[in-house]
Amino acid sequence: MSKEKLKILCVLYDDPVDGFPPNYARNDIPNISNYPGGQSAPTPEKIDFSPGELLGCVSGELGLRKFLEERGHTFVVTSDKDGPNSVFEKEIVDSDIIISQPFWPAYLTAERIAKAPKLKLAITAGIGSDHVDLQAAIDKEITVAEVTYSNSISVSEHVVMMILGLVRNYIPSYNWVIKNGWNIADCVSRSYDVEGMNVGTVAAGRIGLAVLRRMKPFDVNLHYYDKHRLPKETEEELGLTFHSSVEELVKVCDVVTINAPLHPETENLFDGEMIGKMKRGAYLVNTARGKICDRNAVAKALETGQLAGYAGDVWFPQPPPKDHPWRTMPNHGMTPHISGTSLSAQTRYASGVREILECWLDNKPIRDEYLIVKGGRLAGVGAHSYSEGNTTGGSDESSRFKES
Ligand code: NDP
């Protein structure tokens, strides 16, 4: 075990406004030890929390304080992440390790990295390290790791919920009940069955493939685009149609779901031009990253009817300012970024962060499947799914959330 005493800075979302801990709705969660395909769920030596606890907020501390302080390290947890006077920006200057979550991302820009000369490891508590300037991490030889697969299935469930919610017009119908109405015609004039529709995913990685598998029993026609083609057996088993470009896929699909990481190749992929190539009245579901879609183009397409609905839980920046058009555009089913931070998912990604820290502190290798950047280059999963570059540009707009 390394004797060096480190400072670990952890940025988590705020506690519930009704107080912490919440009154839990259930007493337990299922134990998931392996993911589809066989990868094992996190295997830390020990955890200091009960599965199912709220760990992703400030008081939850990812269940790490006892472990880190017993080893003599300094552990700072804050939700104050935006702007030059934030706790994050003050504490970063002598931090060795930074932990952040995509739901409430502490944007680790090149400017911030330049202020953190001791920084050696950036851990994403979840999946998707686009809030880190990966180019700067490569240049400064900072290791970037995330907890691959920890919440992929959680997100796929959210995608299915959102597809059904949009196509069947669930939220507006629910709202008629809340408004004491019984307005059946108002509800059903935008309500369809998904059966028989063409449903396609942009990217068929862990989440995309899980969405395809979950949509299969709805008797839809399944389509996908990915940089690498799935095995022939998988295509046959699910009856998949592969498209060689995103354009070819969107032309034929009634529902498109985006499940690719945000990196220079996918930033702004769904701009006005791409949305213009979709079928009129298509539905777009994006739980991948907000910046993959042009915010104004999405809002305009909903207003003109080019899109019948848009849903997802990822925005740019996060938190989005109060005047972000996705809060008020018609026919949307947005949630804040929650799909990958259910209590079930938190147990897995908190365990995964603990596993990564145990490895780092004990000089043991971090699993290849968790690595995004190592030794000045994209590594592990990162080398397969990401491209070099930076997608954090414009993230300082997140400080407007506090002002408005
Ligand atoms: P995976 O790495 O398993 O899958 C990503 C897939 O995207 C891979 O198949 C990869 O292709 C593909 N891909 C990469 N670049 C492109 C591109 N330019 N065009 C098409 N496909 C591309 O990750 P997950 O499925 O687990 O997660 C995907 C993303 O979802 C994450 O990166 C994250 O941004 C987001 N996410 C969101 C969460 C939420 O809470 N809303 C939680 C978890 C993840 P290949 O490997 O074949 O090169």
Side-chain angles (χ1 to χ4, degrees):
M1 189 196 303
S2 165
K3 296 250 178 313
E4 205 188 344
K5 300 300 172 214
L6 304 180
K7 175 168 164 183
I8 296 109
L9 174 57
C10 180
V11 178
L12 300 174
Y13 45 79
D14 285 315
D15 283 2
V17 290
D18 293 334
F20 179 92
N23 190 6
Y24 293 104
R26 296 177 47 78
N27 295 336
D28 58 14
I29 58 168
N31 177 37
I32 308 291
S33 52
N34 284 89
Y35 304 121
Q39 182 185 316
S40 77
T43 48
E45 283 165 20
K46 193 172 171 258
I47 52 169
D48 297 311
F49 58 83
S50 302
E53 284 180 354
L54 179 57
L55 302 163
C57 65
V58 171
S59 294
E61 300 184 321
L62 296 177
L64 293 172
R65 185 169 294 282
K66 184 166 178 280
F67 159 66
L68 290 171
E69 290 187 345
E70 271 176 7
R71 289 172 169 233
H73 304 299
T74 303
F75 186 45
V76 177
V77 182
T78 182
S79 65
D80 186 17
K81 68 183 185 71
D82 294 315
N85 297 320
S86 59
V87 172
F88 179 65
E89 196 130 341
K90 286 182 193 143
E91 296 282 353
I92 199 174
V93 293
D94 58 350
S95 291
D96 301 275
I97 299 175
I98 286 173
I99 304 170
S100 178
Q101 296 182 109
F103 324 103
W104 185 252
Y107 293 105
L108 201 48
T109 58
E111 296 73 36
R112 283 173 157 177
I113 287 176
K115 288 182 188 167
K118 295 174 74 184
L119 183 61
K120 289 281 177 297
L121 173 65
I123 304 176
T124 301
I127 303 173
S129 298
D130 48 277
H131 60 281
V132 179
D133 181 334
L134 294 181
Q135 191 58 54
I138 288 169
D139 296 343
K140 298 273 180 185
E141 300 205 7
I142 294 167
T143 298
V144 181
E146 58 185 50
V147 192
T148 307
Y149 233 143
S150 59
N151 54 13
S152 303
I153 300 302
S154 325
V155 177
S156 71
E157 293 184 1
H158 208 80
V159 173
V160 173
M161 173 184 83
M162 287 184 149
I163 293 173
L164 293 174
L166 287 181
V167 175
R168 301 201 57 85
N169 209 31
Y170 172 52
I171 296 174
S173 307
Y174 170 83
N175 281 334
W176 276 114
V177 173
I178 299 298
K179 288 186 284 190
N180 290 334
W182 193 256
N183 299 47
I184 294 173
D186 291 288
C187 298
V188 301
S189 59
R190 293 187 69 85
S191 176
Y192 298 88
D193 296 348
V194 290
E195 184 185 18
M197 284 189 170
N198 288 292
V199 177
T201 176
V202 176
R206 294 170 180 83
I207 297 173
L209 182 58
V211 170
L212 292 169
R213 285 195 186 288
R214 280 157 180 72
M215 289 306 296
K216 171 84 177 152
F218 286 95
D219 290 333
V220 293
N221 306 305
L222 294 171
H223 302 254
Y224 81 102
Y225 163 74
D226 197 295
K227 294 203 300 179
H228 301 94
R229 210 160 162 171
L230 290 166
K232 199 161 172 281
E233 314 80 76
T234 311
E235 287 190 355
E236 282 172 6
E237 178 201 341
L238 299 174
L240 303 180
T241 303
F242 172 75
H243 297 266
S244 56
S245 70
V246 181
E247 287 83 355
E248 292 304 313
L249 175 114
V250 302
K251 267 199 276 183
V252 299
C253 284
D254 304 289
V255 178
V256 174
T257 152
I258 305 173
N259 298 296
L262 169 63
H263 58 125
E265 283 173 15
T266 56
E267 184 167 352
N268 220 27
L269 180 63
F270 278 78
D271 56 5
E273 204 183 328
M274 182 67 80
I275 294 172
K277 290 181 179 154
M278 297 177 74
K279 286 177 74 173
R280 181 193 163 270
Y283 303 90
L284 186 55
V285 173
N286 175 17
T287 53
R289 284 297 178 261
K291 238 187 174 187
I292 297 174
C293 295
D294 176 322
R295 70 169 88 159
N296 294 320
V298 166
K300 189 165 166 227
L302 288 169
E303 276 151 25
T304 62
Q306 171 60 14
L307 285 179
Y310 181 93
D313 73 333
V314 286
W315 307 63
F316 188 81
Q318 289 186 185
K322 307 256 159 74
D323 60 1
H324 193 294
W326 291 4
R327 292 182 187 274
T328 49
M329 60 193 182
N331 302 315
H332 82 80
M334 295 298 296
T335 51
H337 194 164
I338 56 162
S339 62
T341 186
S342 57
L343 293 174
S344 323
Q346 288 175 44
T347 291
R348 292 189 294 275
Y349 70 69
S351 303
V353 172
R354 170 85 180 241
E355 179 186 333
I356 291 168
L357 284 169
E358 285 175 359
C359 290
W360 185 264
L361 298 173
D362 294 343
N363 294 317
K364 290 188 296 197
I366 295 170
R367 290 193 209 189
D368 227 27
E369 60 223 30
Y370 291 167
L371 288 174
I372 304 298
V373 173
K374 191 183 169 208
R377 59 169 61 144
L378 292 171
V381 153
H384 194 71
S385 294
Y386 285 81
S387 54
E388 290 184 8
N390 168 38
T391 53
T392 63
S395 55
D396 49 355
E397 192 194 359
S398 54
S399 54
R400 282 193 51 227
F401 178 75
K402 277 195 240 171
E403 292 161 13
S404 46

